[in-house]
């Protein structure tokens, strides 16, 4: 991991993810989180203040720079927080150990998203819920064309972010027992397209 990824990128991501439009999304997505929660791609901890009362939060992220920022926000939480410096492709938790898994704008950046989703299913208790909001490939051909052009640059400079990843297809093929999928444009962000919903283990 070079100096840009270790020191500069975490600060840039923290600033970008504080966009006003994300605050409403966070509150809407996280309101149904219950019990013991694992958040993959925890980042700089901006979700902490949006959680309802839960039993415990496992905060997982592979970036030591982002987790350092997140630890500084841990006092915002009204529940225990345990930080895990690891990738969602290899979650360091036992199988069937959490009630809810949360992913907010994370699946676009994981190198092996299918392996990560298999890990999500592994750690969820039977009937547990995967809650997500992501950006990915737009069904509109013109927007998708530009997403594919920009993606090599977003991967290089924005933490491996794939603007053109087909999130709907990945979730549909992940083997969840049920899946809700809402696809919609992100206002004011012409290169982004959003997917949100829930899936059951």
């Amino acid at each position: 991991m070079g100096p840009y990824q270790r020191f500069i990128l975490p600060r840039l991501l923290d600033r970008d993810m504080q966009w006003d439009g994300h605050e409403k999304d966070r509150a809407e997505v996280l309101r149904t989180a219950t019990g013991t929660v694992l958040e993959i791609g925890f980042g700089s901890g901006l979700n902490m203040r949006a959680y309802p009362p839960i039993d415990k939060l496992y905060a997982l992220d592979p970036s030591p720079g982002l987790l350092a920022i997140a630890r500084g926000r841990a006092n915002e939480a009204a529940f225990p927080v345990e930080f895990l410096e690891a990738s969602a492709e290899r979650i360091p938790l036992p199988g069937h150990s959490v009630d809810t898994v949360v992913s907010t704008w994370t699946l676009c950046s994981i190198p092996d998203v299918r392996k990560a989703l298999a890990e999500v299913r592994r750690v969820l208790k039977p009937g547990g819920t995967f809650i997500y909001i992501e950006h990915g490939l737009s069904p509109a051909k013109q927007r998708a064309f530009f997403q594919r052009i920009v993606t090599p640059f977003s991967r290089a400079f924005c933490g491996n972010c794939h603007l053109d990843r087909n999130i709907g297809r990945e979730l549909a093929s992940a083997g969840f027992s049920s899946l809700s999928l809402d696809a919609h444009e992100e206002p004011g962000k012409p290169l982004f397209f959003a997917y949100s919903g829930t899936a059951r283990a």
Side-chain angles (χ1 to χ4, degrees), residues 77-124:
F79 41 80
V81 180
E82 182 174 337
F83 293 95
L84 304 173
E85 187 178 325
S87 168
E89 296 152 312
R90 189 173 293 177
I91 299 172
L93 292 174
H96 303 160
S97 59
V98 299
D99 301 288
T100 308
V101 177
V102 170
S103 175
T104 59
W105 305 286
T106 296
L107 297 180
C108 64
S109 62
I110 297 173
D112 190 339
V113 68
R114 294 185 182 184
K115 188 174 182 180
L117 289 172
E119 280 286 272
V120 167
R121 288 183 60 214
R122 180 186 68 82
V123 300
L124 274 171

Side-chain angles (χ1 to χ4, degrees), residues 58-178:
Y58 289 106
L60 181 145
D61 201 284
S63 168
L66 284 169
L67 286 182
I69 300 171
R71 286 187 175 95
R73 293 188 167 120
N75 61 354
E76 298 178 12
F79 41 80
V81 180
E82 182 174 337
F83 293 95
L84 304 173
E85 187 178 325
S87 168
E89 296 152 312
R90 189 173 293 177
I91 299 172
L93 292 174
H96 303 160
S97 59
V98 299
D99 301 288
T100 308
V101 177
V102 170
S103 175
T104 59
W105 305 286
T106 296
L107 297 180
C108 64
S109 62
I110 297 173
D112 190 339
V113 68
R114 294 185 182 184
K115 188 174 182 180
L117 289 172
E119 280 286 272
V120 167
R121 288 183 60 214
R122 180 186 68 82
V123 300
L124 274 171
K125 295 176 182 179
T129 306
F130 177 46
I131 302 170
Y132 66 90
I133 181 167
E134 305 290 345
H135 54 241
L137 184 67
S138 171
K141 290 183 178 180
Q142 185 176 26
R143 183 181 294 212
F145 172 77
F146 286 107
Q147 285 179 313
R148 292 188 174 102
I149 290 175
V150 172
T151 287
F153 300 96
S154 65
R155 289 182 62 191
F157 298 106
C158 300
N160 200 43
C161 176
H162 295 67
L163 297 176
D164 61 351
R165 182 164 281 173
N166 194 324
I167 298 297
R169 182 181 64 195
E170 298 293 351
L171 288 166
S173 64
F176 291 102
S177 64
S178 64

